[in-house]
Amino acid sequence: MESENNYRSLENPTEDIYTAAVRLRVQMLNGEPRGSVLHTKLKTLLVKLLLFICGALVAAIVLLVIYYFITIKNEDIAVTRQQNDSFMEQELRILQSEIATLSQRNTELSTKLSALEKQCSALEKSSQSQTCSMCPQGWLLLNSKCYFFSSNKLDWDSSRDNCTSMRGHLVIIESEEEQNFLQNELNRNGLESYWIGLTDSAVEGHFVWVDGRPLDSRLSFWGKSRDGKLQPDNWNQNGQHPNGEDCVQLHMKQNYTGWHDVFCSRLRKRICEMAAKAITFNMRP
Ligand SMILES: [Ca+2]
Ligand SMILES: [Ca+2]
């Protein structure tokens, strides 16, 4: 029954659709639905505004990220690079200092090696080992013997005791080679006179070395006096030294070069001697 009425109302509408639209328009103009329209527009506006703000924020973030990578990141890289450069310069200075130290050390070792090779040259050498004659610092080596030439002057007895205190003795000359070696060294040292380990203080005319061995006359190198006479002359200075001259020096003066007996109380430089110390180095790594 109800559907039948509805059908009739559709077949016979009480007002046409245009009239309804006009009525709705009038209602809107009269204010009843006006608030809801404004409300809808305001919501639309707010949504658009929010979207705009969000878009602006995203754009700002993107710009900030780009600014960071372009500017701040570059500054960080520059600072890091500067720190690295500073560190590298410091490392370089340290390395240069170490190189200078090593170079100096190398020079010192080369000098020592050169001196060592001189000391080792005359001794046994093989692929497996090398034996070297070593002398204390300041002593010279000849044929497994070490020689010390003093710079100060003492009388003969004090000179003998001084050599003994260094575990040596006043030099004992046993060959022409040794005599020439000593003369050559004295030539370099300024033609001075040096005590040697020979004396006849116990028995006049009987010269003995400091180790008690008598002088072999075939291995003697006496010099000459100013009057051309051969030493020893046991000069007594016109009786002022009744015991005469009992201690022997190696005299270096042109025509007088050689051994001279002189007063034992005279102050002279000295030549000390000791056996070199043999040290064997293992050459295998
Ligand atoms: Ca004498
Ligand atoms: Ca003399």
Side-chain angles (χ1 to χ4, degrees):
M1 188 69 180
E2 187 178 348
S3 60
E4 191 176 338
N5 289 336
N6 288 340
Y7 179 74
R8 283 195 192 114
S9 66
L10 285 172
E11 285 183 337
N12 300 302
T14 55
E15 58 184 350
D16 58 47
I17 193 166
Y18 299 105
T19 305
V22 170
R23 185 169 49 84
L24 182 61
R25 176 72 175 164
V26 170
Q27 287 177 346
M28 289 173 63
L29 290 174
N30 287 338
E32 269 187 9
R34 191 176 180 181
S36 65
V37 171
L38 285 175
H39 182 71
T40 303
K41 283 187 174 180
L42 190 59
K43 279 174 67 179
T44 305
L45 191 62
L46 283 172
V47 169
K48 288 182 177 176
L49 184 61
L50 281 173
L51 288 172
F52 174 76
I53 291 171
C54 288
L57 283 173
V58 170
I61 290 170
V62 170
L63 287 174
L64 280 173
V65 170
I66 293 171
Y67 175 77
Y68 171 77
F69 277 105
I70 292 176
T71 306
I72 298 176
K73 193 69 178 177
N74 284 346
E75 287 179 1
D76 288 347
I77 291 170
V79 170
T80 303
R81 186 174 295 167
Q82 192 174 4
Q83 288 174 342
N84 287 339
D85 289 348
S86 176
F87 176 75
M88 294 293 285
E89 286 175 3
Q90 189 176 357
E91 286 291 307
L92 182 62
R93 281 195 294 273
I94 291 172
L95 285 173
Q96 286 174 334
S97 174
E98 288 178 350
I99 288 170
T101 303
L102 286 173
S103 177
Q104 184 180 356
R105 182 66 179 151
N106 182 51
T107 303
E108 292 172 358
L109 287 174
S110 297
T111 304
K112 287 184 178 179
L113 179 62
S114 177
L116 190 62
E117 285 175 343
K118 284 181 183 175
Q119 292 185 327
C120 294
S121 60
L123 291 181
E124 182 183 348
K125 184 177 181 180
S126 70
S127 59
Q128 295 184 342
S129 65
Q130 186 172 3
T131 302
C132 302
S133 291
M134 305 295 293
C135 289
Q137 190 171 8
W139 294 60
L140 299 178
L141 176 73
L142 175 70
N143 296 338
S144 303
K145 297 285 182 62
C146 303
Y147 299 89
F148 173 76
F149 299 82
S150 79
S151 56
N152 66 329
K153 296 178 180 179
L154 297 170
D155 62 33
W156 191 90
D157 285 348
S158 298
S159 295
R160 176 199 57 202
D161 295 343
N162 177 266
C163 291
T164 304
S165 72
M166 293 191 289
R167 300 183 179 179
H169 53 77
L170 274 173
V171 65
I172 298 173
I173 301 171
E174 298 169 286
S175 68
E176 187 170 358
E177 180 189 15
E178 192 174 14
Q179 171 71 16
N180 291 335
F181 166 74
L182 298 177
Q183 285 189 186
N184 289 336
E185 288 302 319
L186 296 195
N187 278 330
R188 278 199 281 270
N189 290 349
L191 303 178
E192 290 201 57
S193 299
Y194 286 71
W195 287 127
I196 63 174
L198 189 62
T199 180
D200 71 339
S201 58
V203 179
E204 176 56 37
H206 180 65
F207 284 92
V208 294
W209 293 105
V210 285
D211 64 355
R213 285 183 292 167
L215 173 66
D216 183 346
S217 59
R218 294 168 298 179
L219 277 174
S220 60
F221 304 92
W222 295 106
K224 289 182 180 176
S225 307
R226 292 182 180 176
D227 58 8
K229 291 183 179 177
L230 194 65
Q231 297 286 317
D233 58 1
N234 201 39
W235 185 54
N236 62 15
Q237 199 174 4
N238 301 320
Q240 293 183 38
H241 293 270
N243 293 331
E245 299 171 315
D246 292 339
C247 294
V248 179
Q249 67 178 21
L250 176 53
H251 191 57
M252 298 295 296
K253 215 167 195 179
Q254 298 177 348
N255 297 330
Y256 315 119
T257 294
W259 300 355
H260 289 247
D261 60 339
V262 296
F263 301 128
C264 296
S265 58
R266 291 281 167 84
L267 300 181
R268 295 286 185 268
K269 294 183 177 179
R270 61 196 173 279
I271 305 171
C272 301
E273 177 186 351
M274 69 163 65
K277 190 171 185 179
I279 298 177
T280 300
F281 296 95
N282 191 347
M283 304 299 285
R284 285 180 295 185

